[in-house]
Amino acid sequence: MSATSSSDNLTVVPGKARGAAAVSFADRLRPYVWTLRSGLRTMRFLFGRFPRECPVCGYKGRFFAYANPLALGINIDSLCPRCFSHERHRLLVLADRAQALFANKNILHFAPEHGLKAYIHARQPRGYTTCEFGGRGADLDINIEKIDLPDNAFELVVCCHILEHVDDHLAIPDLFRIVSKGGTLIAMTPVIEGWDKTFEDGSKQKTEDDRILYFNQHDHLRFFGGDLRSRLRSAGFIVDEYTAVEPDVSRYGLIRGEKVFLCRKPEA
Ligand SMILES: [Zn+2]
């Protein structure tokens, strides 16, 4: 129902209209004051608001604020100053604590993150291979849209915040192909749960400003909606989900409702 619907019981007082002409100088100043105050408050908390715990490296203390310089927004209490973990890495480690994802598995890890790499090593996997497009700092140079690896090669594939950067219609079937039967793909990516359908539009991927405006980061190509699940299922995966609730969300500095998608390849 619109705010001007005839059923609205609004009383307009002459001389009190909130039109542009009626806005005082103090009113016009107010949003600047509010925003400056928000900025100053954010600056106060750049190096932490509350003590937290990092399940990746065991650090206890304040996490730092983090913002990708080529994105919008800033997360307070986001970055572990010891292992550089973000919220998603700490959530994945909680999923591992609950389901023993890494121990005794032959693992392929895309774009390996510093802290997570050390954590997985310490779980004593049966095999652990890292890969990166371009190969920098990793064991293999792999293009996730055209994976040059044999079928059924890995029991566990870790793919954390990559699918939003690439053509997932190419990547997901190829990931399914390289996961062994009964094995698992760990997929994490930003998902707008309020959207049934992924937003992607080739005309809005062309410039850095458009990608920041529509997808919130200079190198993102889409915002997944709830249909991420059907995209994963259509490749053949059985999709399970893990999320954390309180008190773990506050204790470990997590994003409320963030999901780890545990995508299992059927045995047969
Ligand atoms: Zn840490």
Side-chain angles (χ1 to χ4, degrees):
M1 186 183 291
S2 94
T4 54
S5 158
S6 59
S7 65
D8 284 346
N9 188 20
L10 297 176
T11 307
V12 177
V13 180
K16 297 275 185 184
R18 306 286 291 176
V23 175
S24 70
F25 179 70
D27 278 347
R28 269 184 279 151
L29 212 55
R30 200 161 292 161
Y32 290 91
V33 172
W34 287 336
T35 297
L36 279 171
R37 199 171 55 191
S38 304
L40 290 171
R41 187 173 292 155
T42 300
M43 282 181 70
R44 274 183 60 204
F45 302 139
L46 284 183
F47 298 101
R49 174 66 176 87
F50 294 105
R52 314 275 188 160
E53 292 179 39
C54 178
V56 183
C57 72
Y59 167 85
K60 289 184 182 178
R62 292 179 192 273
F63 291 165
F64 293 2
Y66 183 80
N68 185 316
L70 294 171
L72 298 176
I74 183 166
N75 288 359
I76 302 290
D77 289 3
S78 170
L79 180 75
C80 170
R82 184 193 285 171
C83 75
F84 316 141
S85 72
H86 292 280
E87 296 89 336
R88 58 184 179 271
H89 309 126
R90 297 189 289 272
L91 179 66
L92 179 52
V93 164
L94 294 190
D96 174 58
R97 283 184 179 178
Q99 303 191 20
L101 298 169
F102 302 121
N104 203 32
K105 300 268 174 55
N106 183 25
I107 300 171
L108 178 68
H109 188 174
F110 278 88
E113 300 91 337
H114 173 78
L116 207 49
K117 201 160 83 168
Y119 175 87
I120 294 173
H121 260 302
R123 304 279 82 67
Q124 300 182 317
R126 208 157 50 71
Y128 181 60
T129 306
T130 59
C131 64
E132 178 86 72
F133 189 34
R136 190 166 49 92
D139 300 322
L140 301 175
D141 178 0
I142 297 284
N143 176 0
I144 199 170
E145 295 176 354
K146 195 177 178 202
I147 302 174
D148 187 17
L149 289 170
D151 297 357
N152 305 306
F154 293 93
E155 292 162 297
L156 185 73
V157 174
V158 181
C159 184
C160 198
H161 281 227
I162 292 171
L163 293 175
E164 69 276 23
H165 296 262
V166 301
D167 185 339
D168 62 302
H169 292 291
L170 296 175
I172 292 173
D174 231 12
L175 288 164
F176 183 82
R177 184 182 61 75
I178 64 162
V179 171
S180 62
K181 288 176 182 169
T184 302
L185 165 70
I186 293 172
M188 297 183 77
T189 182
V191 177
I192 308 298
E193 293 286 4
W195 292 355
D196 293 335
K197 200 170 176 315
T198 293
F199 174 64
E200 53 192 341
D201 178 340
S203 72
K204 297 182 170 48
Q205 295 172 344
K206 287 174 185 155
T207 69
E208 187 171 289
D209 267 2
D210 268 355
R211 292 192 295 270
I212 293 172
L213 175 62
Y214 290 102
F215 311 117
N216 199 46
Q217 196 167 300
H218 70 110
D219 54 355
H220 283 182
L221 302 181
R222 71 187 61 75
F223 255 127
F224 284 107
D227 63 337
L228 170 65
R229 296 162 180 86
S230 59
R231 290 181 179 221
L232 292 162
R233 284 190 198 108
S234 69
F237 286 116
I238 297 162
V239 180
D240 197 6
E241 298 172 26
Y242 175 87
T243 193
V245 293
E246 293 291 5
D248 286 351
V249 170
S250 301
R251 181 177 176 184
Y252 299 113
L254 307 177
I255 292 173
R256 293 172 181 85
E258 187 172 17
K259 297 274 178 73
V260 180
F261 293 93
L262 300 154
C263 313
R264 196 166 58 79
K265 182 166 172 174
E267 294 277 0

